[in-house]
Amino acid sequence: MKIGSSLIGDPETGEIRGPWLETLIEDVVRFFARGQQVIIVTSGAVAVGSSHFNHLERSLRG
């Protein structure tokens, strides 16, 4: 499952969408209970965290 930035963090406020993440966690727990594996890929962590690094003099892109 791929989770985009706009699902993890609110694009207008940059805040993490807690209720949405709680629902995701409940879903993942159900999958594991059924013996299924889950792979989560997201760019959301970068989008949410990047607002905390505005003071850096260099780009986070390497």
Side-chain angles (χ1 to χ4, degrees):
M1 123 182 11
K2 189 226 185 253
I3 302 170
S5 303
S6 62
L7 292 175
I8 298 281
D10 185 300
E12 293 182 15
T13 66
E15 295 293 319
I16 294 174
R17 295 180 184 214
W20 185 88
L21 283 174
E22 289 174 11
T23 301
L24 173 66
I25 292 166
E26 292 168 359
D27 290 342
V28 170
V29 168
R30 275 196 305 279
F31 294 142
F32 277 116
R34 291 187 284 202
Q36 295 174 297
Q37 293 182 341
V38 177
I39 298 173
I40 298 174
V41 178
T42 180
S43 58
V46 174
V48 171
S50 66
S51 65
H52 297 282
F53 294 101
N54 288 334
H55 65 281
L56 294 179
E57 294 180 15
R58 65 178 181 84
S59 170
L60 294 176
R61 293 191 179 263

